[in-house]
Amino acid sequence: MKKIAVCGAGGFIAGHLVKELLKKGHPVRAVDIKPLNEWYQVFDGAESLVLDLRIRENCYQAVNRYNQVFNLAADMGGMGFIENNKAACMISVLINTHLLLASHDCGIDRYFYASSACVYNGEKQNDPDNPGLKEYEAYPALAEDGYGWEKLFSERMCRHFSEDFGLVTRVARFHNVYGPFGTYDGGREKAPAAMCRKVIEASITGNNEITIWGDGHQTRSFMYIDDCIKGIIDIMYSNIEEPINLGSSEMVSINQLVDIVEDIAGYKLERKYDPDAPKGVRGRNSDNTLIKQYLDWEPSIPLRKGMKKTYDWIKEQMLHQLKSKKETSRFNK
């Protein structure tokens, strides 16, 4: 079994990845900047380290005496976060740069980098009926300001470390991943979790309104976490040398996403639209021609099925928090 370092392990996707790698029998070192009590998932079977990977020396500590690295560490969130924190997103370039240097110096034999669909040229995403973004359409470059440019630059770093030093690197461009054990409030949440939270809050409070950013006609595709984890592992151990899409091709509008959540909840809401809120590109979808060609596979879990699992988990968390608040309030009286 390879000894594997997972960076960003306190986060949503990497936490699920640690779980899967442990299940496969790999020794895992899990690394994140957050205190352990803020990690979404912590596993007794993993060596868990709290390190700021923007600092070069910490990257050496993270990968030393290990064989492989999955880098999913970044300062990021949903559109509301990345549009208002461009500098913070750009600083994540230090994480990938220092991890690549440490991986080269410490003899890492395989390196995975989690990129994003935000690298794609914005002019290719002005139509809600987006036919799907093909990998070559990241150039000529016009990435999402801040976060997208950092991801695109880091992709090139991986490429050149591979070409110049022989480090085997694999890059996947994630398209909107969702599921349990992720952020659903606080400003960093993405659309699927945000919609679940808003509908659950409305059903609890009896409010019949929901605020939607933009006009609701903007489109995206959303990939369930189980599909994402399988894709990460398959790409890591493939012969795919170029960056490749990892996302669902089941595109929906934000209005349709709300329809799905309302149907799951059995609760209809009056929609209010905020045209001034962060809303990102007009239309984005994943073209999966290449991943089907290489791996004869693409994400398969339907959006409604994944959203039901996500909704149920978020509702359980919110009801537990509400119960705890009520008990605390009674205790303090």
Side-chain angles (χ1 to χ4, degrees), residues 56-107:
R56 182 171 172 170
E57 292 75 15
N58 289 346
C59 291
Y60 282 81
Q61 185 180 345
V63 308
N64 193 31
R65 297 190 303 276
Y66 270 59
N67 309 117
Q68 298 177 348
V69 173
F70 286 85
N71 177 18
L72 289 85
D75 197 356
M76 59 85 68
M79 190 52 59
F81 178 82
I82 65 176
E83 281 202 4
N84 294 299
N85 295 274
K86 294 183 177 70
C89 290
M90 289 294 289
I91 289 170
S92 292
V93 74
L94 295 174
I95 298 172
N96 192 58
T97 303
H98 292 151
L99 277 174
L100 283 169
L101 287 166
S103 296
H104 170 249
D105 291 346
C106 294

Side-chain angles (χ1 to χ4, degrees), residues 57-205:
E57 292 75 15
N58 289 346
C59 291
Y60 282 81
Q61 185 180 345
V63 308
N64 193 31
R65 297 190 303 276
Y66 270 59
N67 309 117
Q68 298 177 348
V69 173
F70 286 85
N71 177 18
L72 289 85
D75 197 356
M76 59 85 68
M79 190 52 59
F81 178 82
I82 65 176
E83 281 202 4
N84 294 299
N85 295 274
K86 294 183 177 70
C89 290
M90 289 294 289
I91 289 170
S92 292
V93 74
L94 295 174
I95 298 172
N96 192 58
T97 303
H98 292 151
L99 277 174
L100 283 169
L101 287 166
S103 296
H104 170 249
D105 291 346
C106 294
I108 293 296
D109 60 54
R110 195 167 282 253
Y111 183 99
F112 176 92
Y113 178 65
S115 187
S116 165
C118 290
V119 303
Y120 283 109
N121 187 314
E123 292 181 352
K124 301 286 187 180
Q125 303 171 76
N126 292 325
D127 186 350
D129 296 321
N130 191 301
L133 295 161
K134 297 181 183 295
E135 282 77 2
Y136 68 82
E137 292 180 311
Y139 297 93
L142 187 59
E144 185 88 42
D145 203 9
Y147 180 70
W149 278 106
E150 185 276 321
K151 290 294 185 185
L152 193 62
F153 177 82
S154 293
E155 286 187 6
R156 303 294 285 195
M157 287 285 287
C158 289
R159 170 180 168 175
H160 296 312
F161 266 73
S162 180
E163 291 171 343
D164 294 357
F165 304 124
L167 174 63
V168 176
T169 62
R170 298 291 180 259
V171 175
R173 292 173 178 164
F174 291 4
H175 288 250
N176 289 306
V177 186
Y178 72 99
F181 294 97
T183 304
Y184 59 87
D185 61 6
R188 290 180 182 254
E189 66 276 16
K190 296 190 175 183
M195 296 310 171
C196 287
R197 187 202 75 241
K198 289 179 179 183
V199 173
I200 293 164
E201 282 176 344
S203 66
I204 291 173
T205 62

